[in-house]
């Protein structure tokens, strides 16, 4: 028989090896997470200081960075971002989050809504089921951006000018680098704006144009020389230097539905004049434009030229009487006004 005292015991060191490896990996990952969050904090503060030197006013009451182990979660409270032009955004809370293993893709959320300040026009509160933005490829020359508002409601504050849109089902904006061929990025950016089931404010031009119905539109364009927009702008706005350097909107395409009226639109080039008003021509293929123009003519508030709208409505009515389903129309932006043929409708859209 074998003496029990001489029996060899198996080493238990192998049992501890997996736990030791896990602890080493966890320590290494924690070190990476701490390094990453410090880098994010440093770059955020550096960007804020750069913008402040360029005339921006950026303030927040508190900042926190959490999310260990797999996420980076940045939260700012009572944030104010005001451009040199006077336009501003305020948020009681703004959060930004990215995976720690993919820090080039972020999602930004304003859970309590936003307060928009329009220079010279006052504040507008924006609430909704969701207000969020995503940014991917932020280490590239041009990132991919997506802004989404779900069921937004716009409320002009006391003393502010009315806001043209009261609510909508969705508002979306997308931007991505414009590519030559399939891979080579350029200095241009592709953008798309989508408004779904927008409702105008009471007695306003959008309500009249949509005949008390819903306005849905989608616009796409290329922004040329987009790098000039990175300067941050001046007192005239972010499009001022871009316009002076010859920046243009190219290959503008879109469609619009307002009540019973529909139209597709296209333009090769649009630009802004020295006063920031849009200039150029937009070709329209319209179906039943008369109800929209008649509603615009009946608008009781806003900058609509009712005499011009009445003339355009009469001309559209005469054209519709010929039985054509598609009416070719030309919308012209010149001299700070929007013209449909010889009829002035309203001020031209203002970029800055």
């Amino acid at each position: 028989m074998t003496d029990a005292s001489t029996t060899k015991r198996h080493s238990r060191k192998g049992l501890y090896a997996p736990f030791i490896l896990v602890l080493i990996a966890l320590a290494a990952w924690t070190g990476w997470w701490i390094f990453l969050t410090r880098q994010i904090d440093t770059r955020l503060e550096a960007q804020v200081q750069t913008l402040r030197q360029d005339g921006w006013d950026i303030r927040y009451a508190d900042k926190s960075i959490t999310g260990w182990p797999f996420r980076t979660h940045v939260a700012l409270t009572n944030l104010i971002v005001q451009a040199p032009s006077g336009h501003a955004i305020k948020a009681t809370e703004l959060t930004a989050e990215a995976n720690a293993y993919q820090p080039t893709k972020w999602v930004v959320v304003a859970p309590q809504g936003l307060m928009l300040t329009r220079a010279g026009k006052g504040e507008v509160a924006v609430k909704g089921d969701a207000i969020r933005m995503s940014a991917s490829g932020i280490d590239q020359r041009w990132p991919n951006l997506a802004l989404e508002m779900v069921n937004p409601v716009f409320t002009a504050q006391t003393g502010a000018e009315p806001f043209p849109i009261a609510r909508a089902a969705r508002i979306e904006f997308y931007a991505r680098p414009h590519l030559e061929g399939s891979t080579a990025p350029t200095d241009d950016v592709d953008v798309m704006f989508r408004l779904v089931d927008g409702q105008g404010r009471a007695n306003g031009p959008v309500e009249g144009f949509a005949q008390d119905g819903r306005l849905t539109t989608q616009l796409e364009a290329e922004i040329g020389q987009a790098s000039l927009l990175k300067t941050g702008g001046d007192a005239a706005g972010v499009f001022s230097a871009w316009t002076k350097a010859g920046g243009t909107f190219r290959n503008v395409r879109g469609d619009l539905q307002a009540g019973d009226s529909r139209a597709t639109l296209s333009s090769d080039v649009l630009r802004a004049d020295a006063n920031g008003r849009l200039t150029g021509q937009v070709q329209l293929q319209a179906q039943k434009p008369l109800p929209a123009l008649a509603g615009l003519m009946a608008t009781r508030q806003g900058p609509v030229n009712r005499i011009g709208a009445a003339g355009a409505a009469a001309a559209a009515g005469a054209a519709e009487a010929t039985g054509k389903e598609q009416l070719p129309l030309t919308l012209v932006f010149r001299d700070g006004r929007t013209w449909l043929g010889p009829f002035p409708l309203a001020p031209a859209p203002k970029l800055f």
Side-chain angles (χ1 to χ4, degrees), residues 86-99:
H87 297 292
I89 295 176
K90 299 178 183 178
T92 303
E93 180 183 2
L94 193 73
T95 65
E97 188 171 275
N99 291 322

Side-chain angles (χ1 to χ4, degrees), residues 162 201 203-205 299-306 346-347:
R201 61 178 171 83
N203 301 319
T299 299
R300 294 186 290 277
Q301 296 180 8
V304 174
N305 186 317
R306 294 169 184 79

Side-chain angles (χ1 to χ4, degrees), residues 279-291:
T279 65
Q281 295 187 2
V282 175
Q283 306 301 321
L284 300 172
Q285 291 292 329
Q287 296 180 0
K288 298 183 179 180
L290 181 57

Side-chain angles (χ1 to χ4, degrees), residues 7 29 46 52 90 139 144 169 171-172 176 182 209 221 228 236 241-242 253 268-269 294 325 345:
T7 302
W29 181 261
R52 284 173 176 168
K90 299 178 183 178
D139 56 338
N144 293 293
I171 294 179
E172 301 171 359
R176 66 181 184 183
S182 59
F209 186 72
L228 294 171
W242 175 79
R253 300 291 183 270
D268 292 334
V269 178
E325 292 187 4
L345 298 182

